[in-house]
Amino acid sequence: MEIDWPALRTAARTAMGRAYVPYSNFPVGAAALVDDGRVITGCNVENASYGVGLCAECSLTSALFGEGALFGEGASQRPRLLAVSVVDRNGDPLMPCGRCRQLLYEHGGPGMLLETVSGIRPMAEVLPDAFGPDDLISRS
């Protein structure tokens, strides 16, 4: 599947404009192409309790299972992230934090593509030797 990276980055920039960042003044936006054809977005949302704010990738993942998702009854599988772009306040690619890399890996797998500060990379390179759902399967 052809990924329109400029369009994803534009969608991430638009999402970044909706960020709620009264404390850090550091808006972040994220956009993803989903295997069901949707383009979803998310932005960071802060609160006075600093540590429990939501990264843009968290709200992006919530959108994965939100409106329009083909998951559950009648769907053959859960939706998966194919490609993700995360941008900073200047609209430039931004590397997700460790927690968000794990979250993206969980919902995109090792082959999910991420636009990073050093180019497009699969999650297997961004988070090598990642812990994932398969690690929870009994190996007896």
Side-chain angles (χ1 to χ4, degrees):
M1 172 180 280
E2 186 74 23
I3 310 296
D4 186 349
W5 289 104
L8 274 183
R9 199 172 319 108
T10 296
R13 286 178 179 140
T14 300
M16 183 255 311
R18 295 189 296 268
Y20 176 72
V21 292
Y23 307 104
S24 72
N25 196 33
F26 190 80
V28 176
L33 175 62
V34 181
D35 65 354
D36 61 16
R38 291 178 296 146
V39 171
I40 57 173
T41 62
C43 62
N44 55 330
V45 178
E46 297 176 345
N47 67 66
S49 223
Y50 296 130
V52 293
L54 297 175
C55 296
E57 299 88 340
C58 292
S59 63
L60 176 85
T61 303
S62 293
L64 179 65
F65 294 97
E67 188 176 327
L70 301 174
F71 178 62
E73 189 175 328
S76 60
Q77 62 183 12
R78 66 188 174 113
R80 303 292 289 170
L81 300 171
L82 298 178
V84 174
S85 177
V86 181
V87 298
D88 65 13
R89 68 172 59 151
N90 299 314
D92 297 325
L94 180 68
M95 183 59 91
C97 70
R99 178 183 96 164
C100 289
R101 291 180 202 193
Q102 179 68 37
L103 188 62
L104 294 173
Y105 184 91
E106 176 85 13
H107 298 288
M112 188 205 89
L113 298 175
L114 179 66
E115 182 179 35
T116 74
V117 295
S118 58
I120 308 301
R121 297 173 57 196
M123 283 306 294
E125 289 180 19
V126 174
L127 193 62
D129 302 321
F131 180 87
D134 291 341
D135 294 301
L136 297 174
I137 298 172
S138 174
R139 295 189 173 128
S140 45

